Amino acid sequence: MTAMWGQLVGVYAIWLREVKRSLRDKGQLIGGVSRPLLWVLILGIGLNPYFRGEVYGEVRFVVPYTYLQFIFPAVIVLNILYTSIQSAVSLIWDREFGFLREVLVSPMSRNMILLGKVLGGATTAVIHGCMVLVVARFVGVTLTWETIFAAIGLMFALAFGLTAFGIVIANYVRGFESFGVFSNAVILPLYFTASSVFPLDPALTRAQTLVTYPEWLVIIVEHNPLTYAVDAMRGILIKFNQFDPALGFQVVGIMAVGLFLLAMWEFRKV
């Protein structure tokens, strides 16, 4: 019991260190605020008129929401995606300056060290995701306590898996500059192919969807796990789903567990 308590205290210490370091990073905080404002204010408002179609003289939206409302849940996922993966740069920092070596020779198990770092990154990412929720009223999204808690729960599960994924990437990258370039090469394709900025109309059959979009794009979107995370977030916040509502939570849960197990395997090589 004493040994387990010591392990938990160690996890808490690493978690607290990760959170404090992230919250003291002004650049990361500025990015967490400016990124959603850029997407919501410029992209959301700028493309809002093109998200509508005229049917028999009556203006209707492609989906029964404005583009601002449609893109809002995806911007939350974008903030979590960036923050989660970028938080793994702390592994490179600790490795460069010897802190990681000191922690690895401590009585803490490697899995517990990894858990503390992942929980710290996930907590920071959830905070950045909640920053976007602040502008919900501005984009016309009504929040209740039920939707807020459900959204935060989904944010945490997604952030947990993505932080673990970031640590896997950091394990193969030796420099800060290389990590930034490599992480962006992963983040942007994942996000843009997650049906984040354009909808796959759920009213269309798959054959009709293939006529509307190139087949290769539909296949990528359908096989991108982030697609189902964005869809689940839309289901919570604006009650709009392009896929089975339960599928998003299942995919995010499996992704979180699977990526953490992969990170455990890779962390043994550190």
Side-chain angles (χ1 to χ4, degrees):
M1 182 64 71
T2 303
M4 178 57 69
W5 178 252
Q7 296 284 326
L8 293 176
V9 170
V11 169
Y12 171 75
I14 294 175
W15 168 84
L16 186 62
R17 179 176 180 268
E18 294 292 320
V19 172
K20 281 185 175 181
R21 179 163 55 184
S22 297
L23 295 181
R24 289 171 180 171
D25 186 347
K26 294 181 180 179
Q28 195 173 25
L29 287 175
I30 292 172
V33 174
S34 62
R35 192 182 306 116
L37 289 179
L38 177 67
W39 279 80
V40 171
L41 293 179
I42 297 179
L43 186 66
I45 294 177
L47 293 180
N48 203 48
Y50 301 96
F51 204 59
R52 298 176 295 181
E54 188 169 333
V55 181
Y56 300 113
E58 181 183 354
V59 175
R60 295 181 179 178
F61 288 95
V62 178
V63 295
Y65 300 95
T66 66
Y67 190 62
L68 275 172
Q69 292 169 330
F70 178 81
I71 202 175
F72 179 70
V75 174
I76 294 176
V77 173
L78 175 66
N79 238 24
I80 291 173
L81 180 61
Y82 261 103
T83 309
S84 298
I85 293 183
Q86 293 291 344
S87 67
V89 76
S90 66
L91 180 65
I92 300 176
W93 182 277
D94 292 344
R95 189 171 58 209
E96 289 287 329
F97 293 95
F99 177 79
L100 183 62
R101 187 182 301 110
E102 295 178 3
V103 175
L104 290 175
V105 298
S106 70
M108 282 189 68
S109 69
R110 290 198 173 208
N111 291 342
M112 287 298 186
I113 296 171
L114 174 65
L115 180 61
K117 295 188 77 67
V118 172
L119 287 176
T123 302
T124 305
V126 170
I127 293 172
H128 281 240
C130 289
M131 290 179 183
V132 188
L133 286 177
V134 175
V135 299
R137 185 176 295 275
F138 171 78
V139 301
V141 174
T142 303
L143 297 179
T144 64
W145 286 112
E146 182 182 356
T147 57
I148 290 173
F149 286 126
I152 291 175
L154 181 63
M155 283 185 219
F156 182 80
L158 178 62
F160 187 87
L162 291 174
T163 304
F165 181 52
I167 287 177
V168 172
I169 295 175
N171 195 41
Y172 287 94
V173 178
R174 295 300 170 188
F176 300 105
E177 299 82 2
S178 301
F179 181 82
V181 173
F182 192 74
S183 61
N184 279 321
V186 172
I187 290 171
L188 294 179
L190 269 178
Y191 181 71
F192 283 114
T193 58
S195 189
S196 54
V197 295
F198 61 88
L200 294 181
D201 192 342
L204 300 178
T205 64
R206 193 175 192 280
Q208 291 171 322
T209 301
L210 291 174
V211 173
T212 307
Y213 298 102
E215 182 177 2
W216 61 266
L217 180 59
V218 175
I219 292 173
I220 291 175
V221 170
E222 290 179 342
H223 288 80
N224 183 353
L226 206 63
T227 298
Y228 304 96
V230 172
D231 191 63
M233 190 65 73
R234 284 199 181 107
I236 292 173
L237 296 177
I238 64 173
K239 304 298 185 290
F240 174 75
N241 290 98
Q242 299 177 105
F243 304 94
D244 182 355
L247 185 59
F249 297 97
Q250 294 169 0
V251 171
V252 171
I254 293 171
M255 184 173 66
V257 174
L259 289 174
F260 184 71
L261 291 176
L262 178 61
M264 286 173 59
W265 175 263
E266 292 293 339
F267 200 65
R268 295 178 181 179
K269 304 175 185 179
V270 176

